[in-house]
Amino acid sequence: MKNELSIPLTSANRSEQKPRTSIRSAALWVVQVLLALLFLFAGGMKLMMPIQVLLAQMAVPLPGLFVRFIGVIEVAGALGLTFPALLRIKPFLTPLAACGLVIEMIGATAITVISMGAAPALMPLVVGLLAAFVAYSRRNLLAV
């Protein structure tokens, strides 16, 4: 009795893997673009809004320059999620940008848990997991 792992790849098996790969690639691009839009919006708001308005909306008081720095990180991460892989110019930057956003979302999750509890922290946790999925899936681009 042969198990599935011992069956050699035939042309029929290879043709079945092609649609799976393209579906996964399309799903990965959708996740990347949605994350990029989310981080572009969030970072743009942190950069464009007056600092007094931002600090009044936050549950934990953070220094104004630190909030602006987070906005710069989010905008840079959003651009890094899409443009290097899309333009095929230094595509190894895409998984690195995703890793940077994972680190940021770990901090956002921790601050949210401390200030508001566990339930509101699910949003930054899910966004961080999606960024980790992008970093893991695009890791083959790191082999330069």
Coordinates of all heavy atoms in Angstrom, one line a residue, residues 49-131:
M49 N -3.0 64.2 10.8 CA -3.9 64.8 11.9 C -3.1 65.7 12.8 O -1.9 65.3 13.1 CB -4.7 63.7 12.6 CG -5.8 63.1 11.8 SD -6.7 61.9 12.8 CE -7.5 62.9 14.0
P50 N -3.7 66.7 13.4 CA -3.0 67.4 14.4 C -2.7 66.5 15.6 O -3.5 65.7 16.0 CB -4.0 68.5 14.8 CG -4.9 68.6 13.7 CD -5.0 67.3 13.0
I51 N -1.5 66.7 16.2 CA -1.1 65.8 17.3 C -2.0 65.9 18.5 O -2.2 64.9 19.2 CB 0.4 66.1 17.6 CG1 1.0 64.9 18.3 CG2 0.5 67.3 18.4 CD1 1.2 63.7 17.5
Q52 N -2.6 67.0 18.8 CA -3.5 67.1 19.9 C -4.7 66.3 19.8 O -5.2 65.6 20.7 CB -3.9 68.6 20.2 CG -2.8 69.5 20.6 CD -2.0 70.0 19.4 OE1 -2.4 69.8 18.2 NE2 -0.9 70.7 19.6
V53 N -5.2 66.2 18.5 CA -6.4 65.4 18.3 C -6.1 63.9 18.4 O -6.8 63.1 19.0 CB -7.0 65.7 16.9 CG1 -8.1 64.8 16.5 CG2 -7.4 67.2 16.8
L54 N -4.9 63.5 17.9 CA -4.5 62.1 18.0 C -4.3 61.7 19.4 O -4.8 60.6 19.8 CB -3.1 61.9 17.3 CG -3.2 61.7 15.8 CD1 -1.8 61.7 15.2 CD2 -3.9 60.4 15.5
L55 N -3.6 62.5 20.2 CA -3.3 62.2 21.6 C -4.6 62.1 22.4 O -4.7 61.4 23.4 CB -2.3 63.1 22.2 CG -0.9 63.1 21.6 CD1 0.0 64.1 22.2 CD2 -0.3 61.7 21.7
A56 N -5.6 63.0 22.1 CA -6.9 62.9 22.8 C -7.7 61.7 22.5 O -8.4 61.2 23.4 CB -7.7 64.2 22.4
Q57 N -7.5 61.0 21.4 CA -8.2 59.8 21.0 C -7.5 58.6 21.6 O -8.2 57.5 21.6 CB -8.3 59.7 19.5 CG -9.2 60.8 18.9 CD -9.2 60.7 17.4 OE1 -8.4 59.9 16.8 NE2 -10.0 61.4 16.7
M58 N -6.3 58.6 22.0 CA -5.6 57.5 22.5 C -5.9 57.1 23.9 O -6.0 58.0 24.7 CB -4.1 57.7 22.3 CG -3.7 57.9 20.8 SD -2.0 58.1 20.6 CE -1.4 56.4 20.6
A59 N -6.0 55.8 24.2 CA -6.3 55.4 25.6 C -5.0 55.5 26.4 O -5.1 55.8 27.6 CB -6.8 54.0 25.5
V60 N -3.9 55.3 25.8 CA -2.6 55.4 26.6 C -1.9 56.6 26.0 O -1.6 56.7 24.8 CB -1.7 54.1 26.3 CG1 -0.4 54.3 27.0 CG2 -2.4 52.9 26.9
P61 N -1.4 57.5 26.9 CA -0.7 58.7 26.4 C 0.7 58.3 25.9 O 1.5 57.8 26.7 CB -0.7 59.6 27.7 CG -0.8 58.7 28.8 CD -1.7 57.5 28.4
L62 N 0.9 58.6 24.7 CA 2.2 58.3 24.1 C 2.8 59.7 23.6 O 2.0 60.6 23.3 CB 2.1 57.4 22.9 CG 1.7 56.0 23.1 CD1 1.5 55.2 21.8 CD2 2.7 55.2 24.0
P63 N 4.1 59.8 23.6 CA 4.7 61.1 23.1 C 4.3 61.3 21.7 O 4.2 60.4 20.9 CB 6.2 60.8 23.3 CG 6.4 59.7 24.2 CD 5.1 58.9 24.1
G64 N 4.1 62.6 21.4 CA 3.7 63.0 20.0 C 4.6 62.6 18.9 O 4.2 62.1 17.9
L65 N 5.9 62.7 19.2 CA 6.9 62.3 18.2 C 6.9 60.8 17.9 O 7.2 60.3 16.8 CB 8.3 62.8 18.6 CG 8.6 64.3 18.4 CD1 10.0 64.7 18.9 CD2 8.4 64.7 16.9
F66 N 6.7 60.1 19.0 CA 6.6 58.6 18.9 C 5.4 58.2 18.0 O 5.5 57.3 17.2 CB 6.5 58.0 20.2 CG 6.6 56.5 20.2 CD1 7.7 55.8 19.8 CD2 5.5 55.7 20.6 CE1 7.8 54.4 19.7 CE2 5.5 54.3 20.6 CZ 6.7 53.7 20.1
V67 N 4.3 58.9 18.2 CA 3.1 58.6 17.3 C 3.4 58.9 15.9 O 3.1 58.2 14.9 CB 1.9 59.4 17.8 CG1 0.7 59.2 16.9 CG2 1.5 58.9 19.2
R68 N 4.1 60.0 15.6 CA 4.5 60.4 14.2 C 5.5 59.3 13.7 O 5.4 59.0 12.5 CB 5.2 61.8 14.2 CG 4.3 62.9 14.6 CD 3.4 63.3 13.5 NE 2.7 64.6 13.9 CZ 1.5 64.9 13.5 NH1 0.9 64.2 12.7 NH2 1.0 66.0 13.9
F69 N 6.4 58.9 14.5 CA 7.3 57.8 14.1 C 6.6 56.5 13.7 O 6.9 55.9 12.7 CB 8.3 57.6 15.2 CG 9.3 56.4 14.9 CD1 10.2 56.6 13.9 CD2 9.2 55.3 15.6 CE1 11.1 55.5 13.7 CE2 10.1 54.2 15.4 CZ 11.1 54.3 14.4
I70 N 5.6 56.2 14.5 CA 4.8 55.0 14.2 C 4.1 55.2 12.8 O 4.0 54.3 12.0 CB 3.8 54.7 15.3 CG1 4.5 54.2 16.5 CG2 2.7 53.7 14.8 CD1 3.6 54.1 17.8
G71 N 3.6 56.4 12.6 CA 3.0 56.7 11.3 C 3.9 56.6 10.1 O 3.6 56.0 9.1
V72 N 5.2 57.0 10.3 CA 6.2 56.8 9.3 C 6.5 55.3 9.0 O 6.6 54.9 7.9 CB 7.5 57.6 9.6 CG1 8.6 57.2 8.7 CG2 7.3 59.1 9.6
I73 N 6.6 54.6 10.1 CA 6.8 53.1 10.0 C 5.6 52.5 9.2 O 5.9 51.6 8.4 CB 7.0 52.5 11.4 CG1 8.3 52.9 12.0 CG2 6.9 51.0 11.3 CD1 8.5 52.5 13.4
E74 N 4.4 52.9 9.5 CA 3.3 52.2 8.9 C 3.2 52.6 7.4 O 2.9 51.7 6.6 CB 2.0 52.7 9.6 CG 1.8 52.0 10.9 CD 0.6 52.5 11.7 OE1 0.0 53.6 11.3 OE2 0.2 51.9 12.7
V75 N 3.5 53.8 7.0 CA 3.5 54.2 5.6 C 4.6 53.5 4.9 O 4.4 53.0 3.8 CB 3.6 55.7 5.5 CG1 3.8 56.1 4.0 CG2 2.3 56.4 6.0
A76 N 5.8 53.5 5.5 CA 6.9 52.8 4.8 C 6.6 51.3 4.7 O 7.0 50.7 3.7 CB 8.2 53.0 5.6
G77 N 6.0 50.7 5.7 CA 5.7 49.3 5.6 C 4.6 49.0 4.6 O 4.7 48.0 3.9
A78 N 3.7 49.9 4.4 CA 2.6 49.7 3.4 C 3.3 49.8 2.0 O 2.9 48.9 1.1 CB 1.6 50.8 3.5
L79 N 4.2 50.7 1.8 CA 4.8 50.8 0.5 C 5.7 49.6 0.3 O 5.8 49.0 -0.8 CB 5.6 52.1 0.4 CG 4.8 53.4 0.5 CD1 5.7 54.6 0.5 CD2 3.8 53.4 -0.7
G80 N 6.4 49.1 1.3 CA 7.3 47.9 1.2 C 6.5 46.6 1.0 O 7.1 45.7 0.5
L81 N 5.3 46.6 1.4 CA 4.5 45.3 1.2 C 4.2 45.1 -0.3 O 4.1 44.0 -0.7 CB 3.2 45.4 2.0 CG 3.2 45.0 3.4 CD1 1.8 45.2 4.0 CD2 3.7 43.6 3.6
T82 N 4.0 46.2 -1.0 CA 3.5 46.0 -2.4 C 4.6 46.3 -3.5 O 4.8 45.6 -4.4 CB 2.3 46.9 -2.6 OG1 2.6 48.2 -2.3 CG2 1.1 46.4 -1.8
F83 N 5.2 47.5 -3.4 CA 6.0 48.0 -4.5 C 7.2 47.1 -4.9 O 7.5 46.9 -6.0 CB 6.4 49.4 -4.3 CG 5.3 50.4 -4.5 CD1 5.0 51.4 -3.6 CD2 4.4 50.2 -5.6 CE1 4.0 52.2 -3.8 CE2 3.4 51.1 -5.8 CZ 3.1 52.1 -4.9
P84 N 8.0 46.6 -3.9 CA 9.2 45.8 -4.3 C 8.8 44.6 -5.1 O 9.4 44.3 -6.1 CB 9.9 45.5 -3.0 CG 9.5 46.6 -2.1 CD 8.1 46.9 -2.5
A85 N 7.8 43.9 -4.6 CA 7.4 42.6 -5.3 C 6.7 42.9 -6.6 O 6.9 42.2 -7.6 CB 6.6 41.8 -4.4
L86 N 5.9 44.0 -6.6 CA 5.2 44.4 -7.8 C 6.1 44.8 -8.9 O 5.9 44.4 -10.1 CB 4.1 45.4 -7.4 CG 3.2 45.9 -8.5 CD1 2.2 44.7 -8.9 CD2 2.3 47.1 -8.1
L87 N 7.0 45.7 -8.6 CA 7.9 46.2 -9.6 C 9.1 45.3 -9.9 O 9.9 45.6 -10.8 CB 8.4 47.6 -9.1 CG 7.3 48.7 -8.9 CD1 7.9 50.0 -8.4 CD2 6.5 48.9 -10.2
R88 N 9.3 44.3 -9.0 CA 10.4 43.4 -9.2 C 11.8 44.1 -9.0 O 12.7 43.8 -9.7 CB 10.3 42.6 -10.4 CG 9.1 41.7 -10.5 CD 9.0 41.0 -11.8 NE 7.6 40.5 -11.8 CZ 7.3 39.2 -12.1 NH1 8.3 38.4 -12.2 NH2 6.1 38.9 -12.1
I89 N 11.8 45.1 -8.2 CA 13.0 45.8 -7.9 C 13.3 45.6 -6.4 O 12.5 46.0 -5.5 CB 12.9 47.4 -8.2 CG1 12.6 47.6 -9.6 CG2 14.1 48.1 -7.7 CD1 12.3 49.0 -10.0
K90 N 14.3 44.8 -6.1 CA 14.7 44.4 -4.7 C 13.5 43.8 -4.0 O 13.0 44.3 -3.0 CB 15.2 45.6 -4.0 CG 16.5 46.2 -4.5 CD 17.1 47.2 -3.6 CE 18.2 47.8 -4.3 NZ 19.5 47.4 -3.9
P91 N 12.9 42.7 -4.6 CA 11.7 42.1 -4.0 C 12.0 41.5 -2.6 O 11.0 41.2 -1.9 CB 11.4 41.0 -5.0 CG 12.6 40.7 -5.8 CD 13.4 42.0 -5.8
F92 N 13.2 41.3 -2.2 CA 13.5 40.8 -0.9 C 13.0 41.8 0.2 O 13.0 41.4 1.4 CB 15.0 40.4 -0.7 CG 15.9 41.6 -0.8 CD1 16.2 42.3 0.4 CD2 16.4 42.1 -2.0 CE1 17.1 43.4 0.3 CE2 17.3 43.1 -2.1 CZ 17.6 43.8 -0.9
L93 N 12.7 43.0 -0.2 CA 12.3 44.0 0.8 C 10.8 43.7 1.3 O 10.4 44.1 2.4 CB 12.4 45.4 0.3 CG 13.8 45.9 0.1 CD1 13.8 47.3 -0.6 CD2 14.6 45.9 1.3
T94 N 10.0 43.0 0.5 CA 8.6 42.7 0.8 C 8.5 41.9 2.1 O 7.8 42.3 3.0 CB 7.9 42.1 -0.4 OG1 7.9 43.0 -1.4 CG2 6.5 41.7 0.0
P95 N 9.2 40.7 2.2 CA 9.1 40.0 3.5 C 9.7 40.8 4.7 O 9.3 40.6 5.8 CB 9.8 38.7 3.2 CG 10.6 38.9 2.0 CD 10.0 40.0 1.3
L96 N 10.7 41.6 4.4 CA 11.3 42.4 5.5 C 10.3 43.4 6.0 O 10.2 43.7 7.2 CB 12.6 43.0 5.0 CG 13.8 42.0 4.8 CD1 15.0 42.8 4.3 CD2 14.1 41.2 6.0
A97 N 9.6 44.1 5.1 CA 8.6 45.0 5.5 C 7.5 44.4 6.3 O 7.0 44.9 7.3 CB 8.0 45.7 4.2
A98 N 7.1 43.2 5.8 CA 6.1 42.4 6.6 C 6.6 42.1 8.0 O 5.8 42.2 9.0 CB 5.7 41.2 5.8
C99 N 7.8 41.7 8.1 CA 8.4 41.4 9.4 C 8.4 42.6 10.3 O 8.1 42.5 11.5 CB 9.8 40.8 9.3 SG 9.9 39.2 8.7
G100 N 8.7 43.8 9.8 CA 8.7 45.0 10.5 C 7.3 45.3 11.0 O 7.1 45.8 12.1
L101 N 6.3 45.1 10.1 CA 4.9 45.4 10.5 C 4.4 44.4 11.6 O 3.6 44.7 12.4 CB 4.0 45.4 9.3 CG 4.2 46.5 8.4 CD1 3.4 46.3 7.1 CD2 3.9 47.8 9.0
V102 N 5.0 43.1 11.6 CA 4.6 42.2 12.6 C 5.1 42.7 13.9 O 4.4 42.6 15.0 CB 5.2 40.8 12.3 CG1 5.1 39.8 13.5 CG2 4.5 40.2 11.1
I103 N 6.4 43.2 14.0 CA 6.9 43.7 15.2 C 6.1 44.9 15.7 O 5.8 45.0 16.9 CB 8.4 44.1 15.0 CG1 9.2 42.9 14.7 CG2 8.9 44.9 16.2 CD1 10.6 43.1 14.3
E104 N 5.7 45.8 14.8 CA 4.8 46.9 15.2 C 3.5 46.4 15.8 O 3.0 46.9 16.8 CB 4.6 47.8 14.0 CG 3.8 49.0 14.4 CD 3.1 49.7 13.3 OE1 3.2 49.3 12.1 OE2 2.4 50.7 13.6
M105 N 2.9 45.4 15.2 CA 1.6 44.9 15.6 C 1.7 44.2 16.9 O 0.8 44.1 17.7 CB 1.0 44.0 14.5 CG 0.6 44.7 13.3 SD -0.2 46.3 13.3 CE -1.4 46.3 14.5
I106 N 2.9 43.6 17.2 CA 3.1 43.0 18.6 C 3.0 44.1 19.6 O 2.3 44.0 20.7 CB 4.4 42.2 18.6 CG1 4.4 41.0 17.8 CG2 4.8 41.9 20.1 CD1 5.7 40.3 17.6
G107 N 3.7 45.2 19.3 CA 3.6 46.4 20.3 C 2.2 46.9 20.4 O 1.7 47.3 21.5
A108 N 1.5 47.0 19.2 CA 0.1 47.5 19.3 C -0.8 46.6 20.0 O -1.7 47.1 20.8 CB -0.4 47.7 17.8
T109 N -0.6 45.3 19.9 CA -1.4 44.3 20.6 C -1.2 44.5 22.1 O -2.1 44.5 22.9 CB -1.2 42.9 20.1 OG1 -1.4 42.8 18.7 CG2 -2.0 41.9 20.9
A110 N 0.1 44.6 22.5 CA 0.5 44.7 23.9 C -0.1 46.0 24.5 O -0.7 45.9 25.6 CB 2.0 44.7 24.1
I111 N 0.0 47.1 23.8 CA -0.5 48.3 24.4 C -2.1 48.3 24.5 O -2.7 48.8 25.4 CB -0.1 49.5 23.5 CG1 1.4 49.8 23.7 CG2 -0.9 50.8 23.8 CD1 2.0 50.9 22.9
T112 N -2.7 47.6 23.5 CA -4.2 47.5 23.5 C -4.6 46.6 24.7 O -5.6 46.9 25.3 CB -4.7 47.0 22.2 OG1 -4.2 47.8 21.1 CG2 -6.2 47.0 22.1
V113 N -3.9 45.5 24.9 CA -4.3 44.7 26.0 C -4.1 45.4 27.4 O -5.0 45.3 28.2 CB -3.4 43.4 26.0 CG1 -3.5 42.6 27.3 CG2 -3.8 42.5 24.9
I114 N -3.0 46.1 27.5 CA -2.8 46.9 28.7 C -3.8 47.9 29.0 O -4.3 48.1 30.1 CB -1.4 47.5 28.7 CG1 -0.3 46.4 28.8 CG2 -1.2 48.5 29.9 CD1 1.1 46.8 28.5
S115 N -4.2 48.7 27.9 CA -5.1 49.8 28.1 C -6.6 49.5 28.1 O -7.4 50.1 28.8 CB -4.8 50.9 27.1 OG -5.0 50.4 25.8
M116 N -7.0 48.5 27.2 CA -8.4 48.3 27.0 C -8.8 46.9 27.2 O -10.0 46.6 27.2 CB -8.8 48.7 25.5 CG -8.6 50.1 25.3 SD -9.3 50.6 23.7 CE -7.8 50.6 22.7
G117 N -7.9 45.9 27.4 CA -8.3 44.6 27.7 C -8.1 43.7 26.4 O -7.5 44.1 25.4
A118 N -8.5 42.4 26.6 CA -8.2 41.4 25.5 C -9.0 41.5 24.3 O -8.6 41.3 23.2 CB -8.2 40.0 26.1
A119 N -10.3 41.8 24.5 CA -11.2 41.8 23.3 C -10.8 42.8 22.2 O -10.8 42.5 21.0 CB -12.7 42.0 23.8
P120 N -10.6 44.1 22.6 CA -10.2 45.0 21.5 C -8.8 44.7 20.9 O -8.5 45.2 19.8 CB -10.1 46.4 22.2 CG -10.9 46.2 23.5 CD -10.8 44.8 23.8
A121 N -8.0 43.9 21.6 CA -6.7 43.6 21.1 C -6.7 42.5 20.0 O -5.7 42.2 19.3 CB -5.8 43.1 22.2
L122 N -7.9 42.0 19.7 CA -8.0 41.0 18.6 C -7.7 41.6 17.2 O -7.1 40.9 16.4 CB -9.4 40.3 18.6 CG -9.7 39.4 19.7 CD1 -11.1 38.8 19.7 CD2 -8.7 38.2 19.7
M123 N -8.1 42.9 17.0 CA -7.9 43.5 15.7 C -6.4 43.6 15.4 O -5.9 43.2 14.3 CB -8.6 44.8 15.7 CG -8.4 45.6 14.4 SD -9.1 44.7 13.0 CE -8.9 45.8 11.7
P124 N -5.5 44.2 16.3 CA -4.1 44.3 15.9 C -3.5 42.9 15.9 O -2.5 42.7 15.1 CB -3.5 45.1 17.0 CG -4.5 45.3 18.1 CD -5.8 45.0 17.5
L125 N -4.0 41.9 16.7 CA -3.5 40.6 16.6 C -3.7 39.9 15.3 O -2.8 39.3 14.7 CB -4.1 39.7 17.7 CG -3.7 38.3 17.8 CD1 -2.2 38.2 18.2 CD2 -4.6 37.5 18.8
V126 N -4.9 40.1 14.8 CA -5.2 39.5 13.4 C -4.4 40.2 12.3 O -3.9 39.5 11.4 CB -6.8 39.6 13.2 CG1 -7.1 39.3 11.7 CG2 -7.5 38.7 14.1
V127 N -4.3 41.5 12.4 CA -3.5 42.2 11.4 C -2.0 41.7 11.5 O -1.4 41.5 10.5 CB -3.6 43.7 11.6 CG1 -2.6 44.5 10.7 CG2 -5.0 44.2 11.3
G128 N -1.5 41.5 12.7 CA -0.2 41.0 12.8 C 0.0 39.6 12.3 O 1.0 39.3 11.7
L129 N -1.0 38.8 12.5 CA -1.0 37.4 12.0 C -1.0 37.4 10.4 O -0.3 36.6 9.8 CB -2.1 36.6 12.5 CG -2.0 36.2 14.0 CD1 -3.2 35.5 14.5 CD2 -0.7 35.4 14.3
L130 N -1.8 38.3 9.9 CA -1.8 38.4 8.4 C -0.5 38.9 7.9 O 0.0 38.5 6.8 CB -2.9 39.4 8.0 CG -4.3 38.8 8.1 CD1 -5.4 39.9 7.8 CD2 -4.6 37.6 7.2
A131 N 0.2 39.9 8.6 CA 1.5 40.3 8.1 C 2.5 39.2 8.3 O 3.4 39.0 7.4 CB 1.9 41.5 9.0

